[in-house]
Amino acid sequence: MNNRTLYNEILIEHNMHPFHKHDLEDANLVLEGVNPSCGDDIWLKLKVVDDVIVDGAFQGNGCAISQASADMMLDLIIGKKKEEALRLSDLFLQMIKGEITKEQMEELEEASSLQDIAHMPARVKCAVLGWHTMEEMLKDEK
């Protein structure tokens, strides 16, 4: 299966059936992320206990890339310490810039399917919306 096919399948699955797109009433961290250039808008909600992200969800509207990327991000960071989530976010952003090793790419699991977004400059902001929102949320909490 080539990368483009895998990208399409993963993107479609996370967009059509996002596991983490719902309300999270007991979230203790909530932040809105907006991409003013296209109108994508998400509310990221995390429940953090003893420095570990124990649950997370998002709500909002946007293109398939922004919604799928946020869902993949939550798959990856739930169960991780905040510092690990920030490190994974940094890896994701490095991947988008094309500055990542194959070993680092594997750490991103399904989110690595978005690596070709780097070749679509207009879509980069869509892909990083959830990641930037999570970074801002966790860094502001410190």
Side-chain angles (χ1 to χ4, degrees):
M1 180 179 306
N2 68 33
N3 284 346
R4 175 63 76 201
T5 303
L6 182 62
Y7 160 81
N8 286 334
E9 287 180 9
I10 292 171
L11 183 74
I12 289 167
E13 181 60 28
H14 280 276
N15 183 54
M16 299 297 292
H17 307 286
F19 184 75
H20 301 288
K21 190 171 185 177
H22 55 83
D23 193 17
L24 186 62
E25 291 184 18
D26 62 346
N28 52 2
L29 295 176
V30 177
L31 186 64
E32 181 181 25
V34 178
N35 179 355
S37 63
C38 69
D40 290 350
D41 180 26
I42 67 165
W43 281 95
L44 182 62
K45 300 177 178 198
L46 299 178
K47 181 176 180 182
V48 178
V49 178
D50 295 328
D51 224 32
V52 175
I53 301 165
V54 296
D55 203 358
F58 74 100
Q59 293 181 302
N61 298 297
C63 70
I65 292 171
S66 71
Q67 302 296 288
S69 183
D71 198 54
M72 288 181 229
M73 177 195 72
L74 286 163
D75 273 350
L76 196 58
I77 68 167
I78 292 172
K80 304 275 193 308
K81 289 187 173 268
K82 291 188 299 185
E83 284 144 15
E84 177 66 6
L86 289 169
R87 189 184 72 75
L88 290 166
S89 180
D90 188 53
L91 283 181
F92 183 82
L93 299 174
Q94 287 178 45
M95 177 191 73
I96 295 296
K97 296 175 188 173
E99 304 167 352
I100 192 171
T101 67
K102 184 178 179 179
E103 291 77 25
Q104 290 171 316
M105 183 88 74
E106 290 173 5
E107 289 184 66
L108 293 173
E109 299 175 9
E110 284 186 329
S112 68
S113 67
L114 296 174
Q115 75 183 70
D116 288 338
I117 294 293
H119 305 297
M120 299 177 255
R123 304 316 300 260
V124 168
K125 288 183 181 180
C126 304
V128 301
L129 178 61
W131 298 86
H132 279 310
T133 305
M134 182 261 296
E135 275 190 338
E136 186 179 339
M137 175 189 291
L138 294 180
K139 287 179 178 177
D140 282 354
E141 193 200 18
K142 288 184 176 182

